[in-house]
Amino acid sequence: MTDYGHPLTFGVSLDPTAADFGSALDLARQADRAGLEYLAVQDHAYQPGYLDVWTMLSYLTARTERIAVVSDVADLQLRPPAMLAKAAASLAAIAPGRVALGVGGGPSAAAVASMGATPHHGRAMVEYTEEAIGILRAALDGRAIRTDTEHHHIAGYQAGPVPAAPVPIWVGSQKPGMLGVTGRVGDGWVSPLNIYVPPQDVPERQAIIDAAAREAGRDPRDVRRLYNVIGAIGPYRGGQGLVGPAGLWVDTLTEWAVELGFDTFVLWTITDPAAQLELFTSEVVPAVRERVAERRGAAA
């Protein structure tokens, strides 16, 4: 059993397709009214039909009341860390406490190259990402940044503004090198979808993160754990991911919280997003909160 004891939070992934942004905005407002904590948007800037993640997140904060936004996850090879920190700090200054920064190395070297950036591979990717997160953190703290390494050259940038509320940096990772980065310098782990990192593979990955955290002198409990969960609530033929009635979702997410260590779940719907979000917020989320609280109380 691995329960790191964090309060549970929940979110929904919004489709960044430009042609249907109205539907995404409606879903965002629905999630805001229902009391979810996060609106998550993927970052695939090289897709011609997709909106830019930071533009979309900025607009969403203006059109909702209280819900936070998170990049799930921003591609660090396409978004230089000093500039990404400037964007995140600016949005956090406008919408205090409503910004989380999910980052990763990027899924496609060819796509990175297609937009004019330099792709990294293997160990170089790990080094690049870890350095980039260090730059992000320094910039979000408002420090002066001067660095000259193989991967980053910054000649004395004075960062700012400094957000009133901290902007957490969560790292998307699934292989050992990047999981190590998550443990050493990340505020949280963003796990890929449950069809890419299935539940049976999670403990091994959590152990890598925990070991890296300890080696860096950190408490593994300081690292939040987010699971992107794709599926359908209710009967659905041929669906991928977690598919079944609300009761199955409640049982499963409860187990994933208290046994696998996740504290944040982001819903990726495969059918009828508005109806699925209604089921998620009315039947699944409150029951999971209650069930996990009971399990934690019994364990204590």
Side-chain angles (χ1 to χ4, degrees):
M1 177 175 175
T2 302
D3 182 357
Y4 300 93
H6 290 287
L8 294 185
T9 54
F10 297 86
V12 62
S13 177
L14 303 179
D15 187 346
T17 301
D20 196 26
F21 176 70
S23 296
L25 180 57
D26 289 343
L27 202 66
R29 289 168 166 165
Q30 180 183 343
D32 192 27
R33 292 191 301 269
L36 291 192
E37 284 82 12
Y38 294 108
L39 303 172
V41 180
Q42 59 189 290
D43 182 21
H44 298 289
Y46 39 80
Q47 295 285 0
Y50 279 9
L51 296 168
D52 167 68
V53 64
W54 215 259
T55 304
M56 183 168 170
L57 293 180
S58 299
Y59 191 83
L60 290 170
T61 60
R63 301 299 294 273
T64 53
E65 296 296 328
R66 43 147 299 279
I67 198 167
V69 296
V70 56
S71 48
D72 188 8
V73 293
D75 189 330
L76 283 172
Q77 294 188 96
L78 293 176
R79 301 178 185 276
M83 194 64 231
L84 180 58
K86 182 74 172 186
S90 298
L91 184 56
I94 295 168
R98 297 178 61 195
V99 180
L101 186 55
V103 298
S108 171
V112 167
S114 76
M115 294 192 75
T118 301
H120 298 76
H121 307 273
R123 176 49 55 182
M125 165 69 81
V126 174
E127 293 172 353
Y128 175 92
T129 303
E130 189 158 2
E131 286 182 11
I133 292 171
I135 294 166
L136 279 171
R137 196 172 298 284
L140 288 169
D141 288 343
R143 287 181 260 162
I145 302 168
R146 184 181 298 275
T147 184
D148 187 14
T149 71
E150 179 182 353
H151 306 297
H152 296 94
H153 309 278
I154 300 176
Y157 168 55
Q158 176 57 58
V162 178
V167 176
I169 301 171
W170 299 343
V171 185
S173 54
Q174 63 172 312
K175 294 183 179 180
M178 292 294 286
L179 291 166
V181 172
T182 305
R184 286 191 295 274
V185 299
D187 296 315
W189 176 39
V190 179
S191 171
L193 287 167
N194 52 307
I195 56 173
Y196 300 134
V197 177
Q200 62 268 25
D201 293 346
V202 168
E204 179 183 5
R205 286 167 169 78
Q206 297 280 43
I208 294 171
I209 293 170
D210 291 356
R214 292 189 187 98
E215 289 171 5
R218 306 179 69 201
D219 187 334
R221 290 175 295 182
D222 292 340
V223 183
R224 299 291 299 260
R225 322 281 168 140
L226 180 153
Y227 209 6
N228 287 295
V229 182
I230 193 168
I233 305 167
Y236 187 80
R237 292 188 178 274
Q240 59 180 342
L242 180 59
V243 177
L248 174 66
W249 277 71
V250 173
D251 291 344
T252 302
L253 297 191
T254 298
E255 290 300 309
W256 289 352
V258 298
E259 299 293 341
L260 297 185
F262 289 111
D263 55 72
T264 301
F265 298 101
V266 173
L267 172 68
W268 291 59
T269 64
I270 58 175
T271 181
D272 198 349
Q276 288 285 293
L277 183 58
E278 169 61 27
L279 289 170
F280 188 63
T281 56
S282 64
E283 298 188 27
V284 176
V285 169
V288 173
R289 292 190 197 277
E290 181 178 0
R291 190 84 61 82
V292 170
E294 291 172 354
R295 295 276 294 270
R296 287 176 170 174

